[in-house]
Amino acid sequence: MSQNVQSRKYVLLLLRGSLYLLVNIMLVIVIIYGTFYMCRSGYNFCYGIFGPVVVEEPPGSDKEFEVRDSDDMFDVATRLKEDNIITDNYAFYIRTKLMDTDKTILKTGVYTLNTSMDYETIINMLTFKE
């Protein structure tokens, strides 16, 4: 009977060690996947800010867009995203904030924007610099 108890302890110890190893492997996989996902998301967001991002390849399609007196740049970015003229309103907004914001002012009016325009072209059309 002592040998039977000894073998059960050995089996339980072996199962506990295997479970511990399995949990550690799963934890490492989750950490690696999370790191990869965060790096990929960060790269895509930064590319959206600094890269030539367009919704469609040229020739694209023309869309009418109005800038009102009450609009600020975040409102414009949100509406541009809703109208499918830009891909990411946050990246667009941050790109405008990285410009010299004291001298960049929205021009009110109705504009014909194309879905193949990059952010810089759209910003240059909608703003003027003092």
Side-chain angles (χ1 to χ4, degrees), residues 19-37:
L19 183 61
Y20 179 75
L21 180 65
L22 182 64
V23 167
N24 282 332
I25 289 172
M26 294 298 290
L27 183 63
V28 167
I29 289 172
V30 166
I31 290 171
I32 289 172
Y33 177 77
T35 302
F36 173 76
Y37 180 79

Side-chain angles (χ1 to χ4, degrees), residues 98-110:
L98 290 175
M99 299 170 65
D100 193 6
T101 57
D102 293 339
K103 298 180 180 176
T104 304
I105 300 169
L106 281 170
K107 295 186 288 187
T108 59
V110 178

Side-chain angles (χ1 to χ4, degrees), residues 7 14 20 22 27 29 31 35 45 51 53-54 62-63 66 68 71 74-75 80 94 96 112 115 126-127:
S7 65
L14 190 61
Y20 179 75
L22 182 64
L27 183 63
I29 289 172
I31 290 171
T35 302
F45 186 69
V53 179
V54 296
D62 290 337
K63 296 186 177 190
E66 180 182 6
R68 298 177 223 127
D71 286 342
F74 190 75
D75 295 333
L80 285 169
I94 289 173
T96 61
T112 302
T115 55
L126 300 180
T127 62

Side-chain angles (χ1 to χ4, degrees), residues 60-73:
S61 59
D62 290 337
K63 296 186 177 190
E64 295 291 319
F65 185 78
E66 180 182 6
V67 177
R68 298 177 223 127
D69 286 332
S70 61
D71 286 342
D72 63 359
M73 192 55 82

Side-chain angles (χ1 to χ4, degrees), residues 32-124:
I32 289 172
Y33 177 77
T35 302
F36 173 76
Y37 180 79
M38 295 281 289
C39 289
R40 186 182 66 183
S41 297
Y43 172 81
N44 288 337
F45 186 69
C46 289
Y47 186 80
I49 294 171
F50 299 107
V53 179
V54 296
V55 173
E56 296 176 349
E57 293 298 318
S61 59
D62 290 337
K63 296 186 177 190
E64 295 291 319
F65 185 78
E66 180 182 6
V67 177
R68 298 177 223 127
D69 286 332
S70 61
D71 286 342
D72 63 359
M73 192 55 82
F74 190 75
D75 295 333
V76 169
T78 303
R79 287 199 350 253
L80 285 169
K81 170 71 174 141
E82 289 170 357
D83 291 347
N84 202 26
I85 297 172
I86 61 172
T87 58
D88 186 356
N89 57 327
Y90 296 109
F92 182 86
Y93 179 70
I94 289 173
R95 185 166 184 157
T96 61
K97 286 298 176 187
L98 290 175
M99 299 170 65
D100 193 6
T101 57
D102 293 339
K103 298 180 180 176
T104 304
I105 300 169
L106 281 170
K107 295 186 288 187
T108 59
V110 178
Y111 300 92
T112 302
L113 301 176
N114 194 297
T115 55
S116 64
M117 291 178 167
D118 63 354
Y119 290 174
E120 185 175 354
T121 306
I122 294 171
I123 292 168
N124 288 336

